[in-house]
Amino acid sequence: MSVNVVKLFTYMNMKVRRTNFFDSNLHTSWLKFETRTHGEGTILGQPTRPRRNFSIRAEVNFVSAEEAKELIAVEGYTVIDVRDKSQYERAHIKSCHHVPLFIENQDNDFGTIIKRTLHNNFSGLFYGLPFTKPNPEFVESVKNRFSPESKLLLVCQEGLRSTAAADKLEQAGFENIACITSGLQSIKQGAFDSVGSTELQNAGKAGLVTIQGKISAVLGTVLICAYLFITFFPDQAEKLLAIFTTT
């Protein structure tokens, strides 16, 4: 027989087998017939069952500060701080675990040196932030401390790093993950017991930003005092103004 006749015979035989299968298995999922390219033509492949993906991805739970406190106190969630070392040391939640998503970049290749220099002279100087790179051991570090069933509350300063960290852990098989919406900068003072030299919501401020803030606070206090003095003691204020003008 010719090649075309063989193909037709094979196709008819498989079609009959497929019909018989459905007649006797009405509640079974359909079979998928694939075609495979062979040389210049196409021949029918063997029937294969459709692949099924039974993996279920967990859904990250975004909560407020009050809801986060309840997760810790009632449901036994463990806090993981994913900020860099500098922000963590300024202030962090008491008894939390520190696993940074980004670590300080001390690489010495030419391109990195230029980027680090620019960073330190501009954004790093103004905001007091170190020059960082992704932590390649982040997921493994968490896996070494916690099981995939552990209840984990991820925190950072603005909420972006904790969201990225949650996505990585979710893909790694962790099932119970929560994040504080908008991060620690959005919480009220005293919302959590903390350790450090400043409040949790201010841990992201450093460098010239803090100096600028202190100068603004001093100037604001001086202006308020001057306004009150002029309002309640106008005569004395006028005499002082005359003295300064003369001088």
Side-chain angles (χ1 to χ4, degrees):
M1 293 187 292
S2 66
V3 176
N4 291 334
V5 174
V6 172
K7 290 182 180 180
L8 179 61
F9 178 80
T10 304
Y11 174 76
M12 294 297 294
N13 184 37
M14 293 178 67
K15 187 173 182 181
V16 171
R17 290 172 59 191
R18 182 184 177 197
T19 303
N20 292 337
F21 176 85
F22 276 104
D23 290 341
S24 58
N25 297 275
L26 296 178
H27 300 288
T28 304
S29 60
W30 57 278
L31 294 178
K32 179 182 178 182
F33 289 86
E34 297 180 341
T35 60
R36 292 183 290 112
T37 302
H38 182 74
E40 297 180 356
T42 301
I43 61 174
L44 289 170
Q46 295 298 320
T48 59
R49 292 186 180 275
R51 294 182 179 179
R52 294 184 180 183
N53 185 5
F54 291 101
S55 62
I56 301 176
R57 295 188 65 182
E59 184 175 340
V60 178
N61 187 20
F62 290 90
V63 298
S64 64
E66 291 301 319
E67 291 170 332
K69 291 175 66 175
E70 185 175 350
L71 289 180
I72 297 170
V74 179
E75 299 192 30
Y77 272 68
T78 300
V79 180
I80 297 182
D81 194 322
V82 301
R83 297 174 300 167
D84 61 75
K85 183 180 178 181
S86 61
Q87 292 182 339
Y88 174 80
E89 290 179 344
R90 288 176 203 144
H92 59 266
I93 296 175
K94 190 175 181 180
S95 301
C96 73
H97 295 263
H98 184 221
V99 186
L101 184 63
F102 291 88
I103 57 176
E104 190 168 358
N105 189 348
Q106 294 291 351
D107 295 344
N108 289 316
D109 60 278
F110 183 70
T112 302
I113 291 175
I114 293 177
K115 291 178 182 178
R116 183 167 59 237
T117 302
L118 291 173
H119 170 87
N120 291 339
N121 288 320
F122 291 95
S123 59
L125 178 65
F126 193 75
Y127 294 104
L129 299 176
F131 183 63
T132 60
K133 64 179 180 180
N135 180 5
E137 300 178 355
F138 172 75
V139 173
E140 287 302 318
S141 297
V142 177
K143 280 185 173 181
N144 291 337
R145 301 188 193 186
F146 305 98
S147 66
E149 296 78 23
S150 300
K151 298 177 180 180
L152 305 177
L153 173 65
L154 307 182
V155 299
C156 69
Q157 201 65 33
E158 303 86 8
L160 299 177
R161 284 168 289 182
S162 58
T163 301
D167 183 64
K168 287 180 177 293
L169 295 180
E170 180 189 21
Q171 293 182 28
F174 284 83
E175 302 171 359
N176 302 296
I177 307 172
C179 298
I180 295 180
T181 305
S182 299
L184 296 176
Q185 67 175 2
S186 64
I187 68 173
K188 296 180 180 179
Q189 185 173 347
F192 295 91
D193 292 335
S194 62
V195 178
S197 59
T198 186
E199 295 293 333
L200 288 169
Q201 65 270 28
N202 297 324
K205 299 177 182 178
L208 294 179
V209 170
T210 56
I211 297 175
Q212 184 185 39
K214 291 178 180 178
I215 293 174
S216 298
V218 172
L219 288 177
T221 302
V222 171
L223 290 175
I224 291 174
C225 291
Y227 173 78
L228 293 175
F229 183 76
I230 294 172
T231 301
F232 292 102
F233 306 100
D235 295 336
Q236 289 81 350
E238 186 176 354
K239 291 179 181 179
L240 289 174
L241 181 60
I243 293 173
F244 282 114
T245 303
T246 304
T247 303

